[in-house]
Amino acid sequence: MTTVEQHRQPRPGGLLFFVSRGLPKTELAAAIATARADRGITLVVRGLMPGETFQGALRAWSRILGREQDPPALVIDPTLFRRYGVTSVPILLDAATG
C-alpha cells in the first residue's frame, strides 16, 4: 500500500476520475476536491513523469493532495487508461458502465 492510499482505499465499481499533474492547477484542484468530497471516486493517473521514480511520483502526489486527514484515493495505473480508451484528461468515468 502506498503512502497516498493508506487512509483511503478505492471503492470497487466506483467512479474513476482520470487526471494528470499536467492539468492547469485550478482543474486539478477541482478534481481533487471532488474526489475528496465523494468517497466513491478514485483519482487515476497514467504513470510517472519522464525520468521520475515511483517514490518520487508518490512524494509529488502527496504534496499535491496536501496533508489533510482524509486524502482522496489515488492509483497510478496505465492499464485503466487503455481499458477505458482514455486519451485526454480530466474525465470522470463510471467503472461499472464504462
Side-chain angles (χ1 to χ4, degrees), residues 25-50:
K25 287 184 181 186
T26 55
E27 284 185 58
L28 184 55
I32 291 168
T34 299
R36 187 172 270 126
D38 184 337
R39 295 180 89 50
I41 296 176
T42 299
L43 296 172
V44 182
V45 181
R46 182 185 313 266
L48 312 179
M49 302 295 259

Side-chain angles (χ1 to χ4, degrees), residues 26-88:
T26 55
E27 284 185 58
L28 184 55
I32 291 168
T34 299
R36 187 172 270 126
D38 184 337
R39 295 180 89 50
I41 296 176
T42 299
L43 296 172
V44 182
V45 181
R46 182 185 313 266
L48 312 179
M49 302 295 259
E52 184 176 50
T53 65
F54 188 74
Q55 290 302 320
L58 291 178
R59 282 191 299 275
W61 277 106
S62 289
R63 281 191 304 275
I64 292 167
L65 296 175
R67 302 278 184 229
E68 294 190 25
Q69 292 257 352
D70 194 23
L74 172 78
V75 295
I76 299 173
D77 189 347
T79 65
L80 290 174
F81 278 77
R82 289 191 296 272
R83 181 183 309 156
Y84 295 108
V86 175
T87 57
S88 63

Side-chain angles (χ1 to χ4, degrees), residues 2-40:
T2 66
T3 305
V4 176
E5 296 174 296
Q6 283 178 351
H7 300 291
R8 199 142 137 228
Q9 292 296 307
R11 188 177 79 180
L15 297 174
L16 302 175
F17 208 155
F18 294 83
V19 296
S20 167
R21 282 187 275 167
L23 286 171
K25 287 184 181 186
T26 55
E27 284 185 58
L28 184 55
I32 291 168
T34 299
R36 187 172 270 126
D38 184 337
R39 295 180 89 50

